[in-house]
């Protein structure tokens, strides 16, 4: 089919074909369970007594309740847990394959120490003593702030323990990976002040304006979002999906609006200008508008007139106007920021501009709208015991506000200001843009400790690996996050004894503190992590244990909320894809290959379409209109300012001309032959670009060229 720009846009403007969305069916879960057991490394269970137990999956920010079928003590199948308030019986393919992670070939089976570039097994005592001695040197040198720590998220008691560790140690350099929740917290902080996050009541909204949020491609709490999309048509709710490519979410939307990559913030600002010009904002909610509102109004009218925004975004002025007005007229509109899964490189200006549409609509803290929620406060850690060294170190200015900023800081210094690094539940050497630069920065840090279950790229770059039990082997609180309207804390429980010589991550932190001794040990006086968990969650511990979860909030937050427009009134820079090549390369978030921790299971890799990965060949999507002398299925060389890779070409009429799409999450080099060496890591083709006002990497895409190989 030949598609010119006009007919291409026609694909999006009309209603496009829907796709079936439903939780994974029972028959399929059986098939998956057979599949996930049927690998050479997985022991075959003997016959025995069948039982079911409940726990919470924490393979992704979705935090779904799951039911685990066991034969004697051996878990053999995972299903969604009926009536769990996040997923209500649904589960995704990763959750079902969760058992595979127990026996995964890349599991770290005991503590390891790197000697002459090879890892050798050591005992827990030896490992913790080694870590205690090396970290202790920093405190002895009165330089505790030279310790940095990176965790996957800052939610829950285990990140809380790492934070507690850093405070007692005396370092302000605690950073988290850029996940959707952290972007939402930053957005809420920018517009509403500290201690808030954002939740979106998409279950009840009648008009969902999504700025690329992959609602069935892994955004937020994936099963919850898929369920909300499943009943959207029954509710007659409209979904307008704005993104450069006809994703699964766009294909199921009421309307798909293609947009030039990297111009989503301009569009949101242009829509704000329409609503302000036409007085289509809620006068009652506007009473809470504070700093900079008048300046913001004047600025968007001047800087974002319709014609200019149309030129930048590639969307007609009429469509921008029509969509903005339809959003304002809806009873329960909600605008969603966060392209794809909403994590990694995004930009604060875009999040803030999109959320400003919610504020103008006035549908905030109301059913079907956006909830500006207080951050969950169910954890109560005692104050750390801080000696003089810790007090001095903790008072130092943080080295950076983001992991990429820290890497830049190390890059630019002859000698790394970070002398020791702890990494937990994060794989920055794979998951962030320009992983080679991150690896080079790692090289400059004298001592790296990775607390992980798997031998991933970051573990391989470390000096010591402290192996932790998987979610099926340990107890932990699991707070919901990532844009859900409700706030739920679940309790994950061990379904099986640790298969290898691993410990709970909480016990690892306590062990490191004890190895340091002195006031550090005093701050971690618990007998075990389980005892710590009971103490710090005392407020909710009883019901948490009895029911397996506690709903902290589900209704719209009470009271009014103030909105500060200073940040947007300053009209911060919009970070655009860097370079001057002909195409724009964008990452595609594909639900089957999560780009973060853990790496996809062998089972998940097997389910990847052969239009994305064939053998080890990586495909990129390109509109046939832009393909010139390329052939569908043929080989090509993809080049960006960061490097060149061989790829194969997949013609797709559903991607905008001039855009190249590549699935994110492939191209691992970790120690797992079922997952490693398959495809290309798109992050290696994108150089980070720090957003001046947030300090975050905002390089969602990059300019690229492609030629026949
Ligand atoms: S969506 Fe996330 S939390 Fe839920 S089952 Fe899948 S991997 Fe687990």
């Amino acid at each position: 089919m030949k598609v010119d720009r006009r007919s291409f846009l026609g694909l999006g403007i009309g209603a496009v074909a829907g796709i079936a969305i439903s939780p994974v069916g029972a028959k399929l879960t059986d098939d998956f369970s057979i599949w996930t057991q049927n690998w050479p490394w997985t022991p075959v269970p003997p016959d025995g007594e069948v039982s079911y137990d409940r726990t919470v999956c924490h393979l992704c920010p979705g935090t779904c309740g799951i039911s685990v079928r066991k034969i004697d003590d051996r878990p053999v199948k995972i299903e969604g847990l009926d009536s769990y308030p996040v997923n209500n019986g649904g589960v995704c393919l990763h959750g079902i394959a969760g058992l595979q992670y127990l026996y995964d070939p890349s599991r770290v089976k005991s503590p390891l120490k790197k000697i002459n570039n090879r890892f050798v097994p050591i005992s827990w005592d030896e490992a913790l003593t080694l870590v205690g001695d090396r970290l202790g040197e920093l405190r002895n040198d009165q330089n505790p702030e030279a310790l940095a720590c990176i965790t996957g998220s800052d939610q829950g008691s285990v990140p809380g323990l790492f934070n507690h560790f850093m405070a007692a140690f005396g370092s302000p350099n605690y950073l988290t990976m850029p996940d959707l929740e952290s972007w939402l917290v930053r957005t809420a902080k920018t517009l509403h002040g500290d201690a808030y996050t954002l939740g979106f009541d998409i279950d009840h909204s009648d008009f969902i304006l999504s700025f690329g949020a992959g609602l069935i491609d892994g955004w937020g709490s994936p099963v919850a979002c898929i369920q909300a999309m499943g009943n959207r048509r029954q509710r007659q709710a409209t979904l307008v999906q704005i993104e450069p490519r006809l994703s699964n979410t766009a294909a199921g939307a009421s309307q798909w609006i293609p947009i030039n990559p990297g111009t989503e913030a301009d569009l949101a600002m242009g829509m704000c200008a329409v609503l302000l010009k036409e007085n289509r904002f809620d006068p009652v909610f506007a009473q809470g508008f504070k700093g900079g509102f008048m300046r913001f109004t004047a600025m968007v009218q001047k800087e974002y007139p319709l014609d200019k925004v149309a030129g930048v975004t590639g969307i007609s002025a009429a469509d921008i106007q029509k969509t903005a007005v339809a959003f304002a007229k809806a009873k329960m509109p909600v605008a969603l920021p966060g392209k794809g899964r909403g994590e990694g490189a995004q930009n604060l200006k875009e999040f803030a501009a999109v959320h400003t549409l919610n504020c103008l609509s006035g549908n905030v803290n109301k059913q079907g709208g956006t909830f500006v929620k207080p951050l969950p406060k169910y954890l109560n850690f005692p104050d750390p015991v801080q000696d003089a060294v810790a007090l001095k170190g903790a008072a130092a200015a943080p080295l950076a506000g983001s992991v990429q900023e820290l890497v830049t800081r190390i890059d630019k210094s002859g000698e790394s200001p970070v002398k020791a690094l702890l990494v937990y539940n994060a794989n920055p050497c794979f998951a962030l843009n320009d992983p080679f630069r991150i690896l080079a920065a790692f090289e400059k840090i004298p001592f790296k400790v990775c607390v992980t279950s798997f031998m991933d790229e970051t573990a391989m770059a470390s000096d010591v690996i402290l192996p932790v039990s998987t979610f099926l082997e340990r107890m932990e609180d699991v707070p919901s996050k990532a844009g859900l309207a409700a706030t739920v804390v679940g309790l994950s429980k061990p379904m099986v004894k640790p298969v290898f010589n691993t410990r709970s991550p909480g016990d690892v932190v306590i062990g490191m503190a004890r190895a340091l001794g002195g006031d550090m040990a005093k701050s971690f006086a618990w007998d075990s992590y389980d005892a710590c968990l009971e103490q710090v969650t005392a407020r909710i511990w009883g019901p948490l244990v009895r029911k397996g979860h506690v709903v902290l909030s589900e209704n719209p937050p009470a009271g009014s909320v103030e909105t500060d427009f200073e940040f947007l009134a300053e009209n911060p820079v919009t970070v655009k894809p860097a370079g001057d090549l002909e195409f724009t390369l964008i990452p595609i978030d594909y639900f089957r290959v999560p780009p973060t921790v853990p790496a996809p299971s062998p089972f998940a890799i097997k389910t990847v379409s052969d239009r994305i990965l064939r053998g080890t060949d990586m495909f990129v999507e390109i509109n046939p209109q832009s393909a010139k002398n390329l052939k569908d299925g043929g080989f090509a060389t993809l080049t960006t300012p960061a490097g060149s890779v061989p790829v194969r070409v997949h013609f797709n009429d559903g991607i905008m001309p001039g855009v190249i799409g590549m699935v994110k999450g492939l191209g691992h080099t970790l120690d797992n032959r079922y997952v490693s060496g398959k495809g290309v890591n798109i992050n290696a083709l994108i150089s980070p670009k720090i957003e001046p006002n947030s300090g975050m990497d905002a390089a969602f895409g990059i300019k690229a060229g492609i030629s026949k190989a």
Side-chain angles (χ1 to χ4, degrees), residues 57-64 66 87 90-96 221-223 591:
C57 174
H58 29 125
L59 286 170
C60 88
T63 66
C64 298
I66 51 174
N87 56 312
V91 71
C92 80
L93 86 161
H94 304 296
I96 288 168
S221 185
V223 171
F591 191 44

Side-chain angles (χ1 to χ4, degrees), residues 27-57:
K27 170 71 178 75
L28 212 50
T29 65
D30 276 340
D31 292 346
F32 281 145
S33 123
I34 291 162
W35 254 88
T36 56
Q37 301 287 312
N38 215 2
W39 293 76
W41 65 83
T42 309
V44 177
D47 283 344
E49 195 175 322
V50 175
S51 63
Y52 290 84
D53 207 349
R54 55 183 292 164
T55 186
V56 182
C57 174

Side-chain angles (χ1 to χ4, degrees), residues 113-120 122 463:
K113 170 168 112 173
K114 197 181 264 173
I115 301 176
N116 294 332
N117 230 14
R118 292 190 55 161
F119 283 108
V120 295
I122 53 175
D463 299 294

Side-chain angles (χ1 to χ4, degrees), residues 297-326:
T297 304
M299 183 276 291
V300 285
Q301 309 283 11
K302 178 165 175 267
E303 301 291 339
Y304 296 91
L306 266 180
D307 285 351
K308 183 174 165 191
V309 175
V312 170
T313 59
I315 302 169
S316 73
D319 280 333
I320 298 171
Q321 166 87 21
K322 198 172 84 186
T323 307
V325 170

